[in-house]
Amino acid sequence: MSDPIQTRKSDHLALCAEGDVGFRGQGTLLDGVRFVHDALPELSADEIDLGVTVFGKTLRAPILIAAMTGGTDESGRVNRDLAAIAEARGYAFGLGSQRAMVVRPESRDSFRVRDVAKSTLVFGNVGVVQAKAMSTAEVRAMVEAVGADALCVHLNPAMELVQSNGDRDFRGALETIERLARDLGIPVIAKETGCGISPSVARRVMGAGVAGIDVSGAGGTSWVGVETLRADARGDATARSLGEAFWDWGIPTAASVAAIAPKKGTITLIATGGVGSGLDAARAIALGADLVGVARPVLKALRSGGPAAATALLDGFERELRTAMLLTGSRNLAALAKAPRVLSRELVSWLEQLHT
């Protein structure tokens, strides 16, 4: 009999690499950020500095190859290939949900990347519902097994509700985050999985002591959509119908970042969710993100052309980010965060109403 978690992870990887799982009618709204062109930047392209320090480690660029997979032999190869790229390029790297290695200890090697990413900033990953059922010592052992520098505690109620056997009880999540932030001994990041973080949720998790927030906003991969396609393949009409109704559910990435940024204080704010280009990354940083995560485009490039194709994609990503910085007269990321910009009416409307 096949293992349900292993089957789900294989399905997720295949659908994200090859399936039509993007948001349908909802974009990230990152295209609602228009920079004011600086025709006299008084900069050389060689002067542009992309460096940033996150959780005590200096990155060459503010890029996270974001959490996607783990738990199968194939996902282990993907993790190692992408972690090696992160190491070579000076990026951060995020593991997928480590639930599989807790349920199936024999799968733990699929999450181990330290031999190819010795200096990389590595984020571990666990669902808040699973973390609630684990002692802090058990979570710490899970983190230490992969040598993670920080732990993403992911929040995914919409995705779970579309899974026929998904979680249904989300009580105690904030208390769990507070316990881990206080006792785990490494930075804890509250992370969504494609539906965004609202200002009210941000206030609650910041009050609980998190060191970072990954908004994982709407507009990129719809994990509700992923589960909807899985339900369709299983002939689960009830889950499929629910997923179709909520496929585009969530707060656009740009709105989530911009709404949280003014109140973020010293925490690290990460923009993932449909960041598909270096120009998108520049827009997210201008809105207040410290780090930008890219996931599905890198996975698709890796699957189609191997590490060389994924590296080429990231070369273009960085080139666009550097170009946006020069054309706004931004020598470094701090300057980019202050670059003049014009926001679309839809993005402004989101921000006005999120704060009411």
Side-chain angles (χ1 to χ4, degrees):
M1 182 180 294
S2 62
D3 178 86
I5 293 180
Q6 192 172 21
T7 299
R8 184 166 69 248
K9 296 304 179 185
S10 295
D11 290 348
H12 286 173
L13 193 60
L15 286 167
C16 286
E18 302 166 10
D20 185 9
V21 292
F23 276 70
R24 293 168 170 171
Q26 173 64 70
T28 64
L29 292 186
L30 288 167
D31 60 356
V33 180
R34 302 296 298 270
F35 287 108
V36 177
H37 175 59
D38 186 344
L40 285 172
E42 292 293 338
L43 280 175
S44 163
D46 294 336
E47 292 180 275
I48 302 298
D49 179 11
L50 299 183
V52 62
T53 298
V54 179
F55 303 141
K57 286 194 173 182
T58 299
L59 309 181
R60 191 182 60 80
I63 297 171
L64 162 70
I65 299 179
M68 282 180 283
T69 193
T72 68
D73 290 343
E74 182 185 9
S75 62
R77 291 189 291 271
V78 168
N79 277 336
R80 289 173 61 80
D81 284 345
L82 295 181
I85 292 171
E87 175 78 7
R89 300 185 71 89
Y91 298 165
F93 176 75
L95 293 165
S97 172
Q98 292 175 253
R99 178 184 188 180
M101 67 179 282
V102 175
V103 176
R104 297 176 55 253
E106 63 270 26
S107 71
R108 64 176 59 130
D109 284 350
S110 68
F111 296 93
R112 287 177 169 158
V113 298
R114 272 299 177 203
D115 60 324
V116 297
K118 289 180 168 53
S119 64
T120 300
L121 176 63
V122 173
F123 295 163
N125 191 324
V126 68
V128 70
V129 174
Q130 286 69 54
K132 182 178 71 171
M134 299 169 69
S135 70
T136 302
E138 288 172 326
V139 176
R140 186 180 297 112
M142 182 192 71
V143 168
E144 290 175 350
V146 298
D149 300 291
L151 177 67
C152 291
V153 179
H154 69 256
L155 320 173
N156 62 340
M159 177 184 177
E160 292 289 341
L161 290 171
V162 177
Q163 285 184 28
S164 58
N165 295 311
D167 296 319
R168 297 293 186 269
D169 185 353
F170 305 100
R171 293 172 296 182
L174 187 61
E175 182 181 357
T176 299
I177 291 169
E178 185 172 23
R179 167 171 61 89
L180 294 176
R182 182 185 64 238
D183 299 334
L184 190 59
I186 63 170
V188 169
I189 301 161
K191 171 183 170 56
E192 236 291 340
T193 55
C195 293
I197 299 282
S198 69
S200 63
V201 169
R203 286 193 296 271
R204 283 186 277 165
V205 297
M206 287 190 288
V210 299
I213 292 174
D214 182 344
V215 302
S216 191
T221 300
S222 168
W223 283 96
V224 169
V226 170
E227 292 300 339
T228 303
L229 294 183
R230 290 188 67 242
D232 190 37
R234 294 192 310 271
D236 186 341
T238 299
R240 182 185 182 280
S241 176
L242 185 64
E244 288 288 348
F246 287 88
W247 189 297
D248 278 352
W249 182 266
I251 305 166
T253 298
S256 192
V257 170
I260 294 170
K263 305 292 185 181
K264 71 176 183 175
T266 60
I267 73 159
T268 296
L269 183 57
I270 305 170
T272 62
V275 181
S277 67
L279 182 53
D280 278 347
R283 291 161 169 159
I285 291 166
L287 292 175
D290 302 294
L291 196 62
V292 293
V294 56
R296 190 167 175 238
V298 182
L299 174 63
K300 292 180 73 172
L302 182 72
R303 287 282 290 256
S304 65
T311 297
L313 181 143
L314 290 164
D315 280 338
F317 199 96
E318 278 197 46
R319 188 161 51 248
E320 289 183 13
L321 175 56
R322 289 179 180 277
T323 300
M325 291 175 69
L326 190 142
L327 294 179
T328 56
S330 304
R331 185 183 306 272
N332 52 36
L333 298 177
L336 179 60
K338 299 175 182 176
R341 82 296 302 264
V342 176
L343 305 184
S344 69
R345 289 183 179 179
E346 185 177 3
L347 181 52
V348 169
S349 179
W350 265 96
L351 296 179
E352 290 175 346
Q353 295 184 60
L354 280 173
H355 287 295
T356 59

